[in-house]
Amino acid sequence: NRVCALELSIGRVGEMALPKSTETPRLRYLHNLVDAANGEWADWPAVNKTDYTQIGKIIVLYSYIDVSIRRMVEAAENAGYLNEVWTGKVRKLKIGEAEEAVLSLPGWSEPNQTALKQIADRRGLRNLIAHFAVRRFPKDDAFLFFTKSDRDFKRAFGVDPKPGTIMTSVMECSQLTDGFRHIHALQLWIANAAAE
């Protein structure tokens, strides 16, 4: 199997938000460990109970965020504030489109616009942990995410993968913890904004 690297940095790639490829010395080191394992990383340790909890919390928080976004776009349409591009389509919008529709509403302060953009940007982390399989590095406090999705590969790299290719992503465990804290704050903010 040929392994292609997708390293962690939040951003949009194609239709579904996935992390953009970035390179740091630490991430390169971790990817070198993956390459040196020559596919044996499939036997690396599974994530532990704390990891499962953290991963689950992020996925659940984004479920709440999505409800708030959809409430906001529907309320904006009902009140006549929604841009005509979105009018009549709110119940069929993909979540990225719903985020764009909410962001296009008039009257957002700069900090609120920033929060909405961060919700869209952080979705890459949510999608990575929700759609990729995961293992822990045996001797490093880091995760290896991997998938066999040809569609995700093409979105990330712009070409179809060769047969046998597995797309991977590495992430420090601390990035997951930091991501959770930030996403939790964003979820609290958007829940209040949706209620208003």
Side-chain angles (χ1 to χ4, degrees), residues 1-183:
N1 283 349
R2 183 171 160 262
V3 179
C4 288
L6 179 69
E7 298 163 351
L8 188 69
S9 171
I10 305 305
R12 286 201 178 276
V13 177
E15 294 174 26
M16 182 170 78
L18 283 175
K20 289 180 186 174
S21 184
T22 61
E23 188 166 324
T24 66
R26 174 68 176 157
L27 292 176
R28 177 54 34 216
Y29 164 78
L30 292 171
H31 260 294
N32 287 341
L33 292 177
V34 173
D35 293 343
N38 202 21
E40 298 294 318
W41 49 259
D43 296 326
W44 286 1
V47 292
N48 61 40
K49 185 177 179 180
T50 302
D51 301 332
Y52 277 120
T53 300
Q54 195 81 300
I55 288 168
K57 284 179 184 179
I58 291 171
I59 293 168
V60 168
L61 286 175
Y62 258 94
S63 296
Y64 285 119
I65 287 170
D66 292 354
V67 168
S68 293
I69 288 170
R70 292 193 184 282
R71 285 181 61 209
M72 292 169 86
V73 75
E74 187 175 301
E77 182 181 50
N78 291 341
Y81 291 121
L82 195 60
N83 185 311
E84 63 187 46
V85 173
W86 311 110
T87 302
K89 303 175 186 175
V90 296
R91 287 179 180 80
K92 295 180 182 180
L93 295 178
K94 295 177 183 174
I95 193 62
E97 294 169 328
E99 288 170 342
E100 288 179 43
V102 168
L103 189 55
S104 74
L105 294 173
W108 288 117
S109 68
E110 190 173 323
N112 289 341
Q113 288 177 6
T114 298
L116 288 166
K117 289 174 185 173
Q118 288 174 352
I119 286 169
D121 288 345
R122 292 281 178 168
R123 187 171 299 282
L125 174 60
R126 180 262 175 220
N127 291 342
L128 178 73
I129 65 176
H131 295 284
F132 282 51
V134 61
R135 291 284 187 188
R136 262 189 166 272
F137 279 74
K139 296 179 182 175
D140 287 273
D141 201 22
F143 297 112
L144 170 65
F145 293 92
F146 54 98
T147 186
K148 279 290 293 165
S149 171
D150 287 358
R151 218 166 106 196
D152 288 340
F153 185 96
K154 187 163 188 173
R155 286 178 184 152
F157 297 102
V159 296
D160 289 320
K162 293 179 181 176
T165 299
I166 295 175
M167 185 167 62
T168 65
S169 176
V170 296
M171 181 190 342
E172 298 279 0
C173 292
S174 62
Q175 288 178 282
L176 190 67
T177 303
D178 293 344
F180 166 74
R181 281 191 212 111
H182 193 201
I183 292 164

Side-chain angles (χ1 to χ4, degrees), residues 65 183-193:
I65 287 170
I183 292 164
H184 185 255
L186 290 169
Q187 188 274 324
L188 292 174
W189 171 81
I190 200 159
N192 289 331

